[in-house]
């Protein structure tokens, strides 16, 4: 059985008439890195909330169909059961910070304190995560006196430290500088290689193309494509759904129209594929 | 309205130096992007423009005003500032009230307020959402509300802190149109951004910061060529520039159309 199974899932937020997610079917295997792409309002965050139990526990609303996450049915289990299996990194790190800690170090330990982890182990795990997410220089600062990007790294660290079986991330690099984003993607990819299951909503398609195993494209709450990065991101209908394509795909499309892209080659999604295509033309 | 920043130093109360002597002049009508790694001092620098921060030493001048002698409220006549996180600046019950708040506070006449609010809602495509509560909208649309509420203040200088974060392709295009429209009406636009492709395609000048200092400042064409200097502050070259380099182009290109033109000519 897949680690995450959604069947015919439809969800309405309270007091709304149109569904935020509609007839969604999805299976995710253990250790898989699945990225979710889609325009604003397509349902990316809603899906993140569903997989992490915030729907229906925090947002209420009306959930139809079936959801199984690491064997838990969110409509039956409490949020407490989810915490040890699934970690959610919020879109806005400011909303995730506990507000009860004075330093980044303590903030990262907050989740472990609540799980009643032994202090010696807690220190070891916090130190390790601080190293991994490269925030050694921030550990004694207030979580509120940080830049947006720094706060985002702290938000990621405070979830990673809990070693969730499933890590759900809602645009985790939106405020990071480009190379910082790449580092964070690499850290997350390493987690996936160690067996952690990753669900990530993300607009940065050029990174998603390099790191994700599969991509789910959403539009108006419905799945429009599910497959490998090349299958999904190279598909011609993506822009119709307001989903961004990388400059590599963009420029190849323009080139194709101008007769400057090899006809039998599919649309490139990464720099390497783009270079190979144009090298054929130049030769 | 020209901006003059001279030898600007800023230290936080705990002694951490955030700006270590920044000198930058930004003439009227400039289209400037500020890039650099997280914590480089980009937001700290622009918070000096509207008086949210005051120089520890050095000078910040907006037109003929020295920011040390002006209140934040006065500076709001000259500088519109869109925060990185829209939740830091939204508080009214409807989108429309939110957009009216700025020009009202500046004491504009009703007719002018009406015209400005309409134009701002139009540019940000918020007309249909005008009677909604901003907090019932998605974070991406809340950013549009924040943008509209500043556009309606009709300031000669508009500062945007990370305008494209969390925005999809359609809204990024909308933001490009807004930037071009402001530029077309002669205003100065300054944006902090990590989206180097957006920056290269929409701005004319790029200021690169690293550890509280300006390390590069010039036309986009020149700045994007400096791969190593950019990398030293965690910024990559635009995707198109990297592609062209891998293919051995001798000219620096950074826009898809320019790439096609050079490819065609070669």
């Amino acid at each position: 059985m897949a680690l995450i199974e959604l069947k015919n899932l439809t969800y309405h937020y309270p007091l709304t008439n149109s569904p935020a997610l509609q007839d969604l079917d999805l299976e995710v295997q253990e250790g898989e890195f699945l990225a979710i792409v889609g325009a604003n309002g397509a349902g990316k965050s809603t899906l993140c909330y569903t997989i992490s139990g915030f729907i229906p526990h925090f947002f209420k609303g009306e959930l139809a169909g079936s959801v199984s996450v690491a064997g838990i049915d969110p409509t039956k289990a409490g949020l407490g059961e989810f915490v040890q299996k699934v970690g959610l990194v919020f879109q806005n790190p400011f909303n995730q910070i506990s507000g009860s800690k004075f330093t980044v170090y303590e903030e990262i330990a907050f989740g472990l304190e609540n799980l009643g982890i032994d202090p010696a182990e807690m220190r070891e795990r916090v130190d390790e995560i601080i190293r991994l997410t490269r925030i050694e220089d921030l550990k004694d600062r207030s979580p509120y006196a940080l830049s947006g990007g720094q706060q985002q790294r702290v938000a990621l660290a405070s979830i990673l430290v809990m070693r969730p079986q499933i890590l759900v991330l809602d645009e985790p690099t939106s405020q990071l500088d480009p190379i910082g984003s790449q580092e964070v993607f690499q850290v997350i990819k390493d987690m996936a290689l160690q067996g952690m299951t990753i669900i990530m909503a993300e607009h940065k398609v050029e990174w998603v193309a390099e790191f994700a195993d599969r991509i789910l494209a959403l539009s108006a709450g419905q799945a429009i494509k599910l497959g490998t990065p090349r299958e999904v991101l190279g598909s011609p209908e993506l822009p119709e759904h307001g989903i961004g394509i990388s400059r590599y795909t963009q420029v190849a499309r323009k080139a194709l129209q101008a007769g400057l892209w090899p006809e039998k080659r599919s649309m490139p999604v990464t720099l390497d594929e783009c270079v190979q295509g144009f090298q054929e033309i130049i030769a | 309205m020209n901006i003059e920043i001279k030898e600007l130093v800023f230290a936080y109360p705990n002694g951490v130096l955030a700006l270590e002597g920044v000198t930058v002049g930004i003439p009227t009508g400039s289209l400037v992007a500020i890039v650099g790694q997280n914590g480089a001092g980009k937001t700290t620098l622009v918070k000096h423009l509207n008086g949210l921060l005051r120089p520890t030493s050095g000078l910040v001048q907006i037109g003929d005003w020295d920011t040390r002698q002006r209140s934040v409220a006065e500076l709001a006549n000259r500088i519109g500032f869109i925060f990185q996180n829209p939740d830091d600046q939204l508080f009214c019950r409807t989108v429309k009230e939110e957009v009216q708040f700025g020009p009202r506070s500046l004491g504009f006449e009703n007719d002018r307020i009406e015209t400005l609010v309409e134009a701002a809602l139009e540019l940000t495509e918020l007309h249909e959402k005008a009677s909604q509560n901003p907090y019932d909208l998605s974070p991406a649309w809340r950013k549009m509300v924040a943008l509209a509420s500043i556009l309606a203040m009709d300031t000669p200088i508009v500062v945007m802190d990370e305008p494209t974060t969390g925005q999809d392709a359609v809204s990024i295009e909308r933001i490009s149109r807004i930037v071009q429209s402001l530029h077309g009406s002669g205003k100065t636009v300054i944006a902090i951004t990590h989206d180097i492709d957006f920056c290269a395609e929409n701005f004319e000048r790029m200021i690169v910061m690293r550890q509280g200092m300006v390390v590069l400042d010039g036309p986009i064409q020149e700045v994007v060529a400096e791969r190593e200097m950019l990398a030293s502050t965690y910024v990559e070259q635009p995707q198109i520039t990297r592609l062209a380099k891998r293919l051995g182009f001798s000219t620096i290109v950074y826009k898809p159309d320019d790439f096609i033109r050079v490819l065609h000519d070669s």
Side-chain angles (χ1 to χ4, degrees), chain B residues 103-171:
Chain B
R104 259 196 200 137
S105 306
L106 293 177
F108 293 169
E109 283 176 24
N110 282 341
D111 284 357
R112 186 170 173 214
I113 295 175
E114 183 78 6
T115 317
L116 288 170
V117 169
E118 280 304 302
L121 292 174
E122 182 83 38
L123 262 179
T124 48
E125 297 176 29
L126 278 167
H127 259 301
E128 284 175 20
K129 299 178 172 63
S131 58
Q132 291 189 36
N133 185 313
Y135 285 93
D136 286 340
L137 302 175
S138 70
W141 277 110
R142 282 210 292 282
K143 190 94 178 186
M144 283 298 144
V145 180
L147 200 53
S149 69
I150 298 305
L151 294 179
M153 292 168 74
D154 197 21
T155 51
I157 299 161
V158 177
V159 180
M160 305 176 179
D161 194 351
E162 294 283 2
T164 61
T165 52
Q167 301 287 339
D168 62 19
V170 176
S171 4

Side-chain angles (χ1 to χ4, degrees), chain A residues 105 109 112-127 161:
Chain A
Y105 194 91
L112 299 180
E113 284 179 326
N114 282 286
L115 295 179
I117 303 291
D118 174 71
E121 185 190 340
M122 209 187 303
R123 278 192 206 98
E124 203 173 291
R125 280 166 68 169
V126 173
D127 287 338
V161 78

